[in-house]
Amino acid sequence: MSTPSVPSPSAWLRGSRRPSWLSDPKVLRTEVLGGLVVALALIPEAISFSIIAGVDPAVGLFASFTMAVTIAVVGGRPAMISAATGAVALVIAPLNREHGFGYLVAAVILAGVFQIVLGAIGVAKLMRFVPRSVMVGFVNSLAILIFMAQVPEMTDVPWPVYPMIAAGLALMVFFPKLTTVVPAPLVSIVILTVITVAAGIAVPTVGDKGDLPSSLPVPGLPDVPFTLDTLTTVAPYAFAMALVGLMESLMTAKLVDDITDTRSSKTRESLGQGVANIVTGFFGGMGGCAMIGQTMINVRVSGARTRLSTFLAGAFLMVLCIVFGPVVSDIPMAALVAVMVMVSVATFDWHSIAPRTLRRMPLGETVVMLVTVACVVATHNLAIGVVVGSVAAMVVFARRVAHLAEVTAVTDPDGGTVVYRVTGELFFASSNDLVGRFSYATDPGRVVIDLSAAHIWDASSVAALDAIETKYAQRGTTVEIVGLNEPSARIHKTLSGELTDGH
């Protein structure tokens, strides 16, 4: 087994070519404005996730700052946004509640270490086993979750909120028809903020979510005893956070790959997520992973494509909080809700639920997509949905392939030999009923099993063939297995006679 290559830090910093934003003013403008829009959208979300984790709002904002800035340098997927997320907040909230903030910070650092180890051993390669139907379900459930997260901001609120949201959506739909020089979401936020402040309209604002920090985070060690007992306490939470963060980040990276028609290093992304979480932990942040909603704002809505937008999203976040805190606090939540609703609409794969698509798509594919969506929406955990969806896809695939295994019998003219021709893939699902496809009582004294059109994949198939030979042997019938291809012959020779007692 070859050891996966790990890029050196110097290679990470060097890059493979000169950044496009250095030579193209249009790209630079897109990246800067994209980072600004993301930073504005990050503030209320980071504060909300801090509340979920049971920590001060500044903790979530610091995490978003350090995650975005660090991942911009060490991550594998350009333009992807990493920050404090709800999935991570849900995982570490019980640890903070039961043991305190110091243990939460220790768990974040240890989770980063776990992610580096998982990345180095090649766990990112498992992404190729995620089928397309699960990816579609992942995208659709993400869009639903983004919309659902906005519902609380649209209930039990003053009536002006609703026309403001409608106006924000209208601006984002029609403004790009006039010009695309400035991102429509930024225009929408600025116009609605100016109207709200100038007219003195009483609606919920960003400042209502919590106080913004007034200074930069300071590095330090977690306030915990460095003992084995501490390690055993934080390790389960850290490992869960590492897995959830990696899965969400790798799925997001794959989604951005598809949107931009480019490839990215998933191994480097895994390592980068680990480094970002370690840095975030030492700066007292709550940790995080890829933020799918903000990534969609950056990539799909703003059109950003480079690491600069990711770096600036984190940098602008702190500038907005520290320097322009009073102004940012006056931004109406309705403006940000409109942006996120537009993101959810743009993210949803409407083609996947079109009647024409559903008629042509195999039923199993549609079921897998719906199972993924249902699990994610029910648990609010994208990682659980992806795992359950992938398992469902494997079951559907196994059932489909199992039915392709066929057995046909041809008796020689002299009546002394019968040849059974087996076609298809032999594995645990298809080989379970293989034993019942032979006529043991009526067959002549010699049986030939022709496997030239079949392939043996596992021990279950070898055990089934052994059982067939045993049943014939009990009746004095000679069995000959022929036509095995090289891999099938190898596994049959290795396991035949070794899987049951009495051989």
Side-chain angles (χ1 to χ4, degrees), residues 169-375:
L169 291 172
L171 281 169
M172 285 182 283
V173 170
F174 295 110
F175 186 80
K177 299 181 185 300
L178 300 177
T179 179
T180 57
V181 172
V182 182
L186 181 58
V187 174
S188 176
I189 292 170
V190 171
I191 291 178
L192 291 180
T193 302
V194 170
I195 292 174
T196 302
V197 174
I201 303 174
V203 293
T205 63
V206 170
D208 296 331
K209 289 290 184 180
D211 295 330
L212 302 181
S214 57
S215 62
L216 290 171
V218 178
L221 295 175
D223 184 18
V224 294
F226 293 90
T227 63
L228 182 61
D229 184 59
T230 299
L231 180 62
T232 56
T233 300
V234 303
Y237 295 94
F239 191 66
M241 175 185 163
L243 291 178
V244 168
L246 273 188
M247 185 171 295
E248 195 157 335
S249 298
L250 294 175
M251 290 292 289
T252 305
K254 190 172 187 298
L255 178 59
V256 177
D257 287 352
D258 293 339
I259 292 172
T260 60
D261 291 326
T262 57
R263 297 184 64 184
S264 61
S265 170
K266 305 304 182 294
T267 297
R268 175 172 168 177
E269 185 59 42
S270 301
L271 298 172
Q273 289 291 330
V275 172
N277 272 304
I278 291 174
V279 171
T280 298
F282 281 121
F283 276 91
M286 58 181 276
C289 61
M291 287 197 81
I292 307 168
Q294 272 62 29
T295 298
M296 291 299 101
I297 293 176
N298 197 43
V299 174
R300 178 162 277 175
V301 179
S302 300
R305 292 293 183 270
T306 76
R307 299 177 184 277
L308 180 63
S309 59
T310 306
F311 179 87
L312 290 179
F316 282 148
L317 175 63
M318 279 293 99
V319 172
L320 289 170
C321 291
I322 296 172
V323 180
F324 300 102
V327 176
V328 172
S329 296
D330 288 335
I331 295 175
M333 286 301 300
L336 298 176
V337 168
V339 172
M340 297 310 292
V341 169
M342 182 61 71
V343 169
S344 70
V345 172
T347 301
F348 196 91
D349 186 351
W350 297 101
H351 176 73
S352 67
I353 60 171
R356 181 179 180 183
T357 304
L358 294 175
R359 283 195 299 269
R360 295 188 175 192
M361 189 69 65
L363 179 61
E365 301 281 318
T366 303
V367 168
V368 169
M369 187 265 285
L370 293 176
V371 166
T372 304
V373 171
C375 286

Side-chain angles (χ1 to χ4, degrees), residues 21 28 34 37 50 77 86 96 106 116 134 139 220-221 236 258 280 283 314 359 433 439 441 466 502:
W21 50 267
L28 177 61
V37 174
S50 299
R77 174 65 257 178
N96 179 62
I116 290 176
V134 175
V139 170
L221 295 175
D258 293 339
T280 298
F283 276 91
R359 283 195 299 269
D433 63 347
S439 303
D466 284 353

